Amino acid sequence: MNATRILAGRREGDLLAFPSVRRMTDMLSLRCRETSWVRTSVASLERFRAMTGYSDLEALREQALAEPALAEQALSQFASVLAAYTDIQVSALAMGAKLWFRFNGIAVPWRPLGGTLSPALLPATDPQGAERVMLLSLIGSGLRLAELLRLRIGDIGSLDREGCLIPDIEADPLAVQFTPRRGKQVERLTFLTYQARQALRASLEHALAVGDALALPLDAPLITQADGTPATNASVTRARQRSQSLIRAGSEVNVTLCRTTGDFFREWGLPGSRFVGPEALPMEEFI
């Protein structure tokens, strides 16, 4: 599916008129299994464009190619506008701009831009750390559990101009390169949420008891237990059970909400059907 169809009917679809944006969306459409990443990247790029005043993205690209420091200044300006937001929100909103710069030959750093710090999701002594990392990594990424468990440290990082992965567990956004076992077996891309990135980094650093996560070997398992060993069948089973429990809970909440709403309208009728206002009174009431 191409970007035009993915963004059909969306206001930010107008950005496809910029060749540089079209390049970004075409690459994401080709490499990502989840089309949501195309919508997410373009929507956040539109926010960057509106909040920084760089309405002409092609002009910004030309200037940044000639003066790379301008790209970092633009991201810093965006971060200052978002200073009151949480680090999770800033990360999500900056994603489109970082992808756009990288895919158009401008090597901006992929590092967090700041924001109000959010509470840690994974305590250093959490005995269920591997399970939490698995659950957080599955949320929003579109990865299947089997695909997640096959990943190595070298499978996560940032992206270059051609959409190829550069291993880097400090990257933000954190891209993931994987090869599905089902369907067409070609390398695909997805991204982990900021919460999953933070939990994953905490888990890896704690597992090896080192302060420099960049020293981890690229062929080491991405999902590990607290002692650095790969996740066990038992921990995978518990993670799968917790995932299914969360899905069931969400489904039950949705069903209850729908039934309650239906019951309400069956008893009270459509909105406004019992309204009695001045316009519903006989004309003689106004004489």
Side-chain angles (χ1 to χ4, degrees):
M1 184 178 294
N2 60 38
T4 301
R5 293 182 61 186
I6 294 171
L7 296 172
R10 301 177 71 92
R11 182 180 59 184
E12 58 269 20
D14 294 343
L15 267 65
L16 294 178
F18 294 107
S20 58
V21 178
R22 171 67 70 171
R23 172 181 169 78
M24 176 185 77
T25 56
D26 284 348
M27 293 182 69
L28 290 173
S29 300
L30 179 66
R31 298 293 308 280
C32 295
R33 185 170 64 195
E34 301 295 322
T35 58
S36 58
W37 294 120
V38 176
R39 293 188 289 269
T40 297
S41 62
V42 177
S44 56
L45 179 59
E46 171 60 21
R47 183 70 69 89
F48 165 81
R49 176 172 170 260
M51 297 181 75
T52 58
Y54 291 107
S55 57
D56 189 340
L57 291 175
E58 294 306 311
L60 174 59
R61 175 182 175 273
E62 292 294 331
Q63 295 170 15
L65 285 171
E67 187 181 353
L70 177 62
E72 293 188 43
Q73 292 172 8
L75 287 174
S76 296
Q77 178 185 344
F78 191 41
S80 65
V81 175
L82 301 174
Y85 289 56
T86 66
D87 49 0
I88 296 172
Q89 293 171 313
V90 174
S91 174
L93 291 171
M95 179 180 182
K98 291 180 180 180
L99 283 167
W100 178 78
F101 278 124
R102 280 285 183 96
F103 285 166
N104 286 283
I106 304 158
V108 294
W110 274 22
R111 291 293 183 268
L113 292 178
T116 305
L117 292 179
S118 302
L121 293 176
L122 184 63
T125 57
D126 188 354
Q128 298 178 329
E131 297 166 36
R132 293 198 185 192
V133 171
M134 281 185 252
L135 290 174
L136 288 170
S137 298
L138 293 174
I139 296 173
S141 68
L143 287 168
R144 299 184 176 94
L145 184 55
E147 293 168 343
L148 177 64
L149 294 173
R150 287 196 297 269
L151 295 177
R152 296 292 182 263
I153 299 297
D155 293 325
I156 61 173
S158 63
L159 301 173
D160 66 12
R161 187 177 189 278
E162 302 303 323
C164 297
L165 190 89
I166 304 171
D168 178 9
I169 70 169
E170 301 283 352
D172 176 42
L174 189 58
V176 178
Q177 181 174 274
F178 68 102
T179 301
R181 293 290 179 89
R182 301 179 184 177
K184 193 175 182 180
Q185 296 183 10
V186 296
E187 282 189 346
R188 296 289 189 184
L189 290 175
T190 189
F191 300 87
L192 298 186
T193 63
Y194 189 78
Q195 299 95 316
R197 171 190 180 271
Q198 297 299 82
L200 179 61
R201 290 177 66 253
S203 174
L204 292 172
E205 291 176 8
H206 177 64
L208 295 185
V210 296
D212 183 10
L214 297 176
L216 292 166
L218 296 182
D219 60 350
L222 184 64
I223 305 298
T224 63
Q225 299 185 99
D227 60 0
T229 58
T232 64
N233 290 334
S235 63
V236 171
T237 298
R238 287 194 297 269
R240 183 176 285 112
Q241 291 171 342
R242 292 176 68 178
S243 176
Q244 293 171 347
S245 296
L246 289 172
I247 293 172
R248 283 196 301 271
S251 177
E252 290 171 0
V253 169
N254 185 53
V255 169
T256 300
L257 178 61
C258 290
R259 286 178 174 171
T260 302
T261 304
D263 291 342
F264 174 83
F265 286 125
R266 275 192 293 271
E267 180 178 353
W268 290 91
L270 294 175
S273 61
R274 295 197 177 192
F275 176 79
V276 178
E279 62 273 26
L281 297 174
M283 286 298 299
E284 53 267 21
E285 295 286 338
F286 297 93
I287 300 175

